[in-house]
Amino acid sequence: MVDKTVPLETLLAGETATVSRIAGHRHDVHRLEEFGLRGGSRIRMFRTGNPCILALGGGKVCLRCDPQLRILVERAAVTPGGLPEGVQPR
Amino acid sequence: MPHPAPTTAEQVTTVALVGNPNTGKSTLFNALVGVRQHVGNYPGVTVERKAGRMAAGGRALEVIDLPGLYSLAPRSRDEMVACEVLLGEFKGLDRAQAVICVADASNLQRSLYLLSQVLELGLPVVLAVNMIDMAEEHGIEVDLESLRQRLPIPVVAVQANRRLGVEQLKAALSEALEAEAPARMTPFPKPFEREAAQLRGWFEAAPSNGGASFCPGIARRLLLDAGGYLEADMLARERLPDGAGEELAQARARLEQEGCRIPSVETESRYAWVQKVLDGAVRHPETYRPSFSDRVDAVLTHRLWGTLVFALVMVAVFQAVFVGAEPLMEWIEGSREYVGNWIASVVPEGALQSLLQKGVVGGVGAVIVFLPQIVILFLFLAVLEDCGYIARAAYLADRMMARVGLSGKAFIPMLSSFACAVPGIMAARVIEDERDRITTILVAPLLTCSARLPVYALLIAAFVPSWTYLGGLLNLQGLVLAGLYALGIVVAVVAALLLKRTLLRGAAPPFLLELPSYKWPSPRNVAYRVVQRVGQFLRCAGTLIFAVSILVWAALYYPQNPPSAEPLREARHTLETQRENLPPNAPQRARLDDQIAEISREITGEQQRQSILGRLGRVIEPVVRPLGWDWRIGCAVLASLPAREVVVATMGVIYNLGEDVDHDSEDDRNLLQQKMRAAVWEGSGRPIFTVPVALSILVFFALCAQCAATLAVMRQETGTWRWPAFAFGYMTLLAYAGAFVTYQVGTWIAGG
């Protein structure tokens, strides 16, 4: 099977994805998870860059990661307009 | 000082308001208690404690608005306080007896994560689901009935901004207080529960424990306590029996072996529970619909347009702070003079009059003058914060601030510091990371505040030649002023970088900031916030600044009647007798009056020179000599310890101009400038004030920490004198070094 995960920063503005894995120091990962960003979370890239802005669970968050923290995501199927919620990755 | 706790005789029940940030928690708090609220700090820490009274079902309730938090795993001071209040571990405060958990309907997942932690505390809990209207705008549907069936606690829909559902919430709360606490539910796997139960049993049975009891849930929190904050704090307070640290470490190691990774076991277990509760109860939209906030953010977070709007907003705030405050400041200045004169007319001349007029009214008044600026600044910040813009400003500023090693959240404190470092340091509370917060607090006073302007204006106008360049486009005086601003910024940046690499080094956690949905600012929220913050400023001004003002006054006043002023006094006496003997409308009278006034000024000058402060000035003269200063400048700098702008008035006194130098009045300023130009080194005819000397004073004041208010607020915000002492030390050293280099290089250029 082909690994379809890509780093978060490769997402383009407006693209929707599902978080597959967050790798980094366990306390940092835990903090992101408690904030609601965790494996299985559906996100939409609102503004790219570092910091970036993500649409997450009905709101938006600004996030700046250092190189030690990697967020891997799986792009949702490309659909016009992008579907942030309720999209099953193919 | 412990907060005046309600007496048990009154039977007041304490209810804690818990919720994620931006869930409308404070709005709900205001709706619940109205004006019957008071704000203070938790004893010993600088976390704001908001509490208020309300009645529900015939009960008197004390509602505490805990700081907004995402989790009970403490990572910042705010979370630590909230966690300890809920666990009953906060020293000097009783444990909360019930909890209202506020949830954002748009983000129930995260809100229920926190709820699941709260449910383990064994307290009556009510869930208030707020902002359902906002959720509907996002196309999110919430089925409250399903939630009620699946949760063991009352669930109430509220709309805090319109005060809807408040009565239902109170009714549900009073019911929950009557009923048994909900059955404790735990989403954790069995091995974890076993270890938690064992641990609590071990705590209570430990011989060194002395029979103290522990709240249910405390063992779980200690096991999961990722950063070790709670454990460290409880061990430091000897709240845990001997050997608890080892016991905890062993329990955690056993759990790891059984596959319960700490801390991820918590998120896994809790989110699994949340998923079960929310499954089918919340429906997310099928397609993405941009919300109002998304459309606004398309502009306001845009790299070009957003930055442009950001710059405009900042310019507008600054215009308002500097221009808008002007008439009010003049009015306060006027009242200060009026009160001073009134005191002079009521209290007989002597030490008491001088103390009241110059020590109390003069000293504290010098700080109160900045109140209009501070109120306007707080007002703008409260409006921007309440409508949601501040978070966008932090996003836009983050790229820039990250280069200095800080985050976007440090931007507002820094910006505020250009008006006054006191509100800037207070605004640093929003920075969760303690190292970032301390760094921000330590460098904020380097930015040019408005109290430096009178000093700059006086010295630049007097000693910097008004040469123009590029056909009048640039003026040397303006360039020097801009240079002083730039100096403050550059030194602040370097200091922040150095501090973050040395004293306050540490791995930066990922920067996470929620961008709340935009909304119209609520006048009620804004008003409460402004009143609370201004109150804090005044309390600060009323205590330490008061004390320092009196100290400096006394040093400048005593000892009275030095013998060296005796000949002057005799001369004045002679002149006065001469005047007595003249007929009432003799033409010589006016000339005599002038002479008497001149001699009186000289007496005051001599008095000040012989005062404790004046003598100190002479003692430190060898130290300030390399800066090109004579003892009089050194003395004025010492006297300006409580507030830098005082240096103008003190120089006026020391250079025999009389005490009431009005630095706003053109004539007085010119007179002082003339006097200063005429001042010469004692024993030689060399003028004291040359361009290098003026520049060295300017650089000194750009970098020094001559402001009691700033140091006092630093003490208040860091909880220790260590940081203000450090700030004073490093800034004074910097100022000295800067002034030294300026003078030496300046003299070398001028001489060579």
Side-chain angles (χ1 to χ4, degrees):
Chain A
M1 216 187 107
V2 188
D3 185 8
K4 284 194 286 185
T5 59
V6 291
L8 175 74
E9 53 271 23
T10 59
L11 287 187
L12 303 172
E15 267 191 306
T16 305
T18 308
V19 177
S20 349
R21 207 160 59 86
I22 305 178
H25 190 281
R26 65 163 82 177
H27 294 320
D28 289 346
V29 175
H30 188 62
R31 192 171 127 86
L32 290 183
E33 287 179 345
E34 294 201 312
F35 195 80
L37 190 69
R38 59 199 182 90
S41 303
R42 272 168 303 210
I43 54 163
R44 179 185 160 88
M45 183 61 84
F46 189 84
R47 286 258 179 242
T48 53
N50 201 18
C52 62
I53 297 182
L54 303 174
L56 167 75
K60 282 199 285 291
V61 294
C62 157
L63 170 71
R64 173 163 47 84
C65 295
D66 52 10
Q68 276 87 52
L69 193 72
R70 293 176 57 77
I71 301 175
L72 297 168
V73 301
E74 198 166 322
R75 276 199 178 89
V78 183
T79 325
L83 306 181
E85 304 292 347
V87 173
Q88 295 301 313
R90 263 180 219 155
Chain B
M1 192 187 74
H3 172 77
T7 54
T8 40
E10 268 182 86
Q11 282 302 321
V12 179
T13 312
T14 319
V15 180
L17 207 53
V18 178
N20 294 160
N22 303 310
T23 48
K25 200 168 55 66
S26 291
T27 314
L28 181 64
F29 174 76
N30 290 339
L32 283 172
V33 303
V35 292
R36 285 164 301 170
Q37 56 173 281
H38 43 98
V39 179
N41 277 344
Y42 285 91
V45 282
T46 52
V47 174
E48 212 163 79
R49 183 185 193 274
K50 290 198 334 191
R53 287 297 179 88
M54 72 169 191
R59 262 174 211 268
L61 299 177
E62 163 115 336
V63 187
I64 307 175
D65 185 10
L66 287 179
L69 62 159
Y70 294 109
S71 159
L72 287 187
R75 249 177 241 99
S76 65
R77 291 164 315 137
D78 284 12
E79 290 177 337
M80 188 73 193
V81 167
C83 178
E84 291 199 335
V85 168
L86 290 173
L87 289 170
E89 288 299 331
F90 199 94
K91 208 171 160 244
L93 283 182
D94 288 338
R95 188 180 175 208
Q97 286 149 292
V99 179
I100 298 174
C101 195
V102 190
D104 173 1
S106 309
N107 205 338
L108 278 176
Q109 209 172 51
R110 199 167 57 194
S111 296
L112 290 198
Y113 178 87
L114 180 62
L115 175 72
S116 108
Q117 294 181 324
V118 170
L119 283 176
E120 285 173 3
L121 302 171
L123 294 170
V125 183
V126 178
L127 180 67
V129 182
N130 193 16
M131 305 200 281
I132 294 186
D133 52 337
M134 286 274 212
E136 280 168 0
E137 204 211 319
H138 283 102
I140 300 168
E141 288 168 40
V142 181
D143 179 5
L144 283 177
E145 214 34 63
S146 305
L147 281 183
R148 285 195 184 103
Q149 281 164 17
R150 293 171 195 186
L151 291 170
I153 51 163
V155 179
V156 184
V158 293
Q159 224 168 297
N161 54 346
R162 290 195 219 150
R163 320 179 94 198
L164 296 175
V166 169
E167 287 312 313
Q168 288 89 320
L169 180 62
K170 285 184 183 175
L173 182 65
S174 94
E175 249 174 67
L177 282 165
E178 297 297 332
E180 292 273 299
R184 239 166 274 140
M185 40 185 300
T186 168
F188 286 105
K190 284 208 173 64
F192 184 86
E193 282 305 308
R194 194 188 59 230
E195 286 293 344
Q198 265 178 22
L199 194 65
R200 188 171 169 222
W202 184 87
F203 284 164
E204 297 197 334
S208 58
N209 182 39
S213 71
F214 290 90
C215 136
I218 208 159
R220 278 196 207 92
R221 287 263 51 98
L222 280 168
L223 275 176
L224 293 167
D225 181 19
Y229 286 87
L230 185 66
E231 182 187 333
D233 187 64
M234 289 183 73
L235 283 174
R237 289 190 293 118
E238 300 186 344
R239 226 344 236 140
L240 294 175
D242 298 340
E246 295 81 65
E247 196 68 20
L248 267 166
Q250 283 168 14
R252 285 189 192 128
R254 281 195 296 273
L255 282 172
E256 296 267 337
Q257 277 175 0
E258 290 190 70
C260 295
R261 268 173 63 87
I262 287 175
S264 58
V265 64
E266 181 169 27
T267 39
E268 278 162 26
S269 317
R270 291 196 197 282
Y271 276 121
W273 174 82
V274 171
Q275 211 70 54
K276 252 195 316 201
V277 173
L278 291 182
D279 186 37
V282 176
R283 291 226 342 255
H284 287 279
E286 290 291 310
T287 50
Y288 167 70
R289 284 193 310 202
S291 65
F292 170 72
S293 286
D294 288 343
R295 285 192 296 270
V296 177
D297 270 335
V299 179
L300 292 191
T301 63
H302 190 273
R303 200 163 288 183
L304 176 64
W305 304 122
T307 311
L308 206 67
V309 172
F310 178 59
L312 282 176
V313 169
M314 295 308 134
V315 168
V317 170
F318 262 72
Q319 276 294 309
V321 165
F322 284 109
V323 181
E326 194 69 37
L328 279 166
M329 288 173 83
E330 274 168 24
W331 181 81
I332 293 182
E333 195 70 56
S335 323
R336 193 175 112 196
E337 261 182 62
Y338 177 82
V339 173
N341 292 340
W342 177 79
I343 287 175
S345 69
V346 176
V347 183
E349 202 170 318
L352 183 67
Q353 188 204 69
S354 175
L355 168 68
L356 290 176
Q357 198 182 358
K358 292 182 202 120
V360 179
V361 178
V364 176
V367 179
I368 302 290
V369 167
F370 294 98
L371 195 60
Q373 286 193 338
I374 289 176
V375 172
I376 292 177
L377 184 68
F378 281 159
L379 186 72
F380 269 91
L381 290 181
V383 169
L384 291 176
E385 201 176 330
D386 209 51
C387 71
Y389 186 72
I390 288 285
R392 274 74 181 180
Y395 159 75
L396 289 167
D398 186 67
R399 218 181 300 262
M400 191 168 69
M401 302 302 291
R403 287 199 198 134
V404 188
L406 296 170
S407 80
K409 286 192 181 175
F411 183 74
I412 295 297
M414 298 281 190
L415 183 84
S416 306
S417 300
F418 280 102
C420 174
V422 173
I425 289 170
M426 279 160 67
R429 284 184 183 186
V430 295
I431 305 169
E432 292 118 16
D433 186 60
E434 195 62 9
R435 283 183 291 259
D436 278 12
R437 194 176 72 95
I438 301 279
T439 309
T440 309
I441 288 176
L442 290 177
V443 303
L446 285 167
L447 302 168
T448 300
C449 64
S450 49
R452 284 177 172 103
L453 285 177
V455 188
Y456 289 177
L458 173 81
L459 290 170
I460 289 179
F463 300 104
V464 177
S466 173
W467 295 334
T468 53
Y469 309 93
L470 299 177
L473 207 62
L474 292 174
N475 181 307
L476 186 61
Q477 295 187 334
L479 286 176
V480 169
L481 185 65
L484 289 167
Y485 268 88
L487 177 71
I489 296 170
V490 170
V491 174
V493 164
V494 174
L497 277 171
L498 284 178
L499 283 168
K500 287 289 287 181
R501 291 216 157 91
T502 54
L503 226 54
L504 297 159
R505 186 176 42 209
F511 175 58
L512 265 176
L513 175 71
E514 210 172 339
L515 305 181
S517 297
Y518 287 105
K519 65 183 180 69
W520 285 109
S522 131
R524 180 190 295 263
N525 285 357
V526 169
Y528 280 130
R529 202 162 297 159
V530 173
V531 167
Q532 285 156 6
R533 298 202 177 150
V534 170
Q536 279 167 341
F537 170 73
L538 286 179
R539 268 198 295 280
C540 181
T543 50
L544 192 103
I545 300 163
F546 181 74
V548 177
S549 304
I550 289 185
L551 223 70
V552 170
W553 165 83
L556 207 55
Y557 187 79
Y558 291 107
Q560 273 290 304
N561 302 330
S564 54
E566 217 34 62
L568 288 167
R569 236 185 294 268
E570 274 165 28
R572 179 166 69 175
H573 187 72
T574 323
L575 288 171
E576 275 168 351
T577 354
Q578 272 178 32
R579 189 178 59 173
E580 298 283 301
N581 298 335
L582 283 172
N585 44 7
Q588 300 98 313
R589 234 172 190 222
R591 198 171 46 86
L592 270 177
D593 279 344
D594 282 352
Q595 280 178 348
I596 292 173
E598 176 65 34
I599 234 171
S600 295
R601 281 203 287 270
E602 276 173 35
I603 293 175
T604 322
E606 183 57 26
Q607 156 78 38
Q608 308 255 338
R609 281 188 282 275
Q610 295 303 322
S611 68
I612 301 174
L613 200 70
R615 290 175 198 188
L616 267 179
R618 287 178 184 279
V619 170
I620 65 158
E621 188 170 16
V623 181
V624 298
R625 207 58 182 264
L627 312 182
W629 303 357
D630 74 338
W631 66 271
R632 288 177 283 197
I633 302 175
C635 187
V637 168
L638 281 182
S640 68
L641 207 62
R644 7 178 114 72
E645 62 279 13
V646 170
V647 79
V648 177
T650 315
M651 283 200 180
V653 172
I654 297 176
Y655 289 105
N656 287 347
L657 188 68
E659 309 199 343
D660 34 1
V661 184
D662 180 356
H663 43 71
D664 286 332
S665 136
E666 198 78 356
D667 291 347
D668 275 5
R669 203 151 58 190
N670 288 343
L671 198 58
L672 178 56
Q673 286 167 1
Q674 280 169 25
K675 287 265 182 185
M676 284 165 67
R677 284 202 196 98
V680 290
W681 286 95
E682 279 166 13
S684 83
R686 265 191 316 130
I688 294 169
F689 285 95
T690 57
V691 176
V693 171
L695 286 177
S696 105
I697 300 175
L698 283 170
V699 168
F700 186 88
F701 274 93
L703 300 177
C704 70
Q706 303 275 86
C707 176
T710 300
L711 297 172
V713 84
M714 259 186 207
R715 157 76 179 72
Q716 181 189 301
E717 294 298 304
T718 58
T720 154
W721 279 112
R722 213 175 65 223
W723 290 120
F726 174 77
F728 184 80
Y730 99 88
M731 286 178 68
T732 306
L733 266 178
L734 264 179
Y736 186 87
F740 177 78
V741 170
T742 309
Y743 175 70
Q744 297 297 338
V745 172
T747 322
W748 181 72
I749 292 173

